[in-house]
Amino acid sequence: MKAFIVNKYGKNEKLKLVEEALPSVKENDILVEVYAAGLNQLDSKLKSGEFKLILPYKTPFILGHDLAGIVIKTGVKVTRFKVGDEIFARVSDMRIGTLAEYIAIDENDAALKPNTISMEEAASIPLVALTVWQAFAERVNIKKGQKVFIQAGSGGVGTIAIQLAKHFGAFVATTASEKNFDMLKRLGADIIIDYKKDNFETILKDYDVVLNSQNIKTLEKSLTILKPAGSIISISGPPTPEFAKSIGASSIIRFILWLTSLKIRNKAKKLNINYSFLFMKADGRQLEQIADLLASEIIKPIVDKIFPFKQTNDAFDYLESGHAKGKVVVKVK
């Protein structure tokens, strides 16, 4: 099979197209013919080496976390899927590799693809939707009437976060450039702040939840808009000691993460704000619930551009330009 590999870590390194052997299928695995693969900021950060402390992949490795495709073989203990099923998934950490023609994944990472959306749309969904689901439904359990601030509303996470927060009955504020206002209004955003002209921290106050996907400076500003006992969930860091413990990190890495998150944790504590770092986990059962929302059009995929498989490096260039509205997807077949 053909696959795109990270041959060497580096911000300016390009993926290499190579021939690889078909993956072996374990007893709980399904072998999937990949039709489309969604790209995420996580893929870009892995490629550059930013996440080596958390996810120490040894080069060379096949990149890619999201996929949509068709099951072509099942392991002997598989019960949830059969050959011919159309599925979508965010595969488990340390088993990534969706930028390939085939991949073997654990059946518990996948869900049946809704027949109301295309393969490319389905591939755009898993990582971002599971991230938002685990933030809003698990971490803080958003209630009707609560006020939620979602940074970078036109991005891959933001477009899904706005829709899911509205589904839960929240009042939603977000940031974006003015050219994306109409799209975000259609998704349900109540307040949209032009980050090029205005400072969100001078406009918003008494919010219940913030979903942070930006830098440390924006994270610190976000603390000031929350009401006491409010929650800020960061998907861009810094990781916390609790997260380090949850992944079984070594004592050295635990200390590094304790140190790098100390400042923001202390600031949050002084303001009586709950700060947590979220690194989403693959979960096929949660993806089934998301599939129901997709099928009923409560959530709609937002795909900016679709690139052919051979142009995967061009797709990454576009993703890393920061101009994508919604998701960037690679069409494998």
Side-chain angles (χ1 to χ4, degrees), residues 31 41 48 82 97 101 141 144 149 158 166 178 182 186 194 199 230 239 241 257 273-274 296 299:
L31 182 63
Q41 292 298 331
S48 69
K82 64 183 185 301
E101 292 177 313
N141 190 20
K144 185 177 181 179
F149 174 49
K166 292 305 293 183
E178 192 171 358
D182 287 344
R186 290 195 298 271
D194 187 342
N199 298 315
L257 298 186
I273 301 298
N274 301 303
S296 58
I299 291 177

Side-chain angles (χ1 to χ4, degrees), residues 87-102:
I87 62 97
F88 68 140
R90 190 286 200 194
V91 299
S92 295
D93 296 321
M94 310 316 292
R95 293 201 66 183
I96 66 172
T98 62
L99 288 169
E101 292 177 313
Y102 301 90

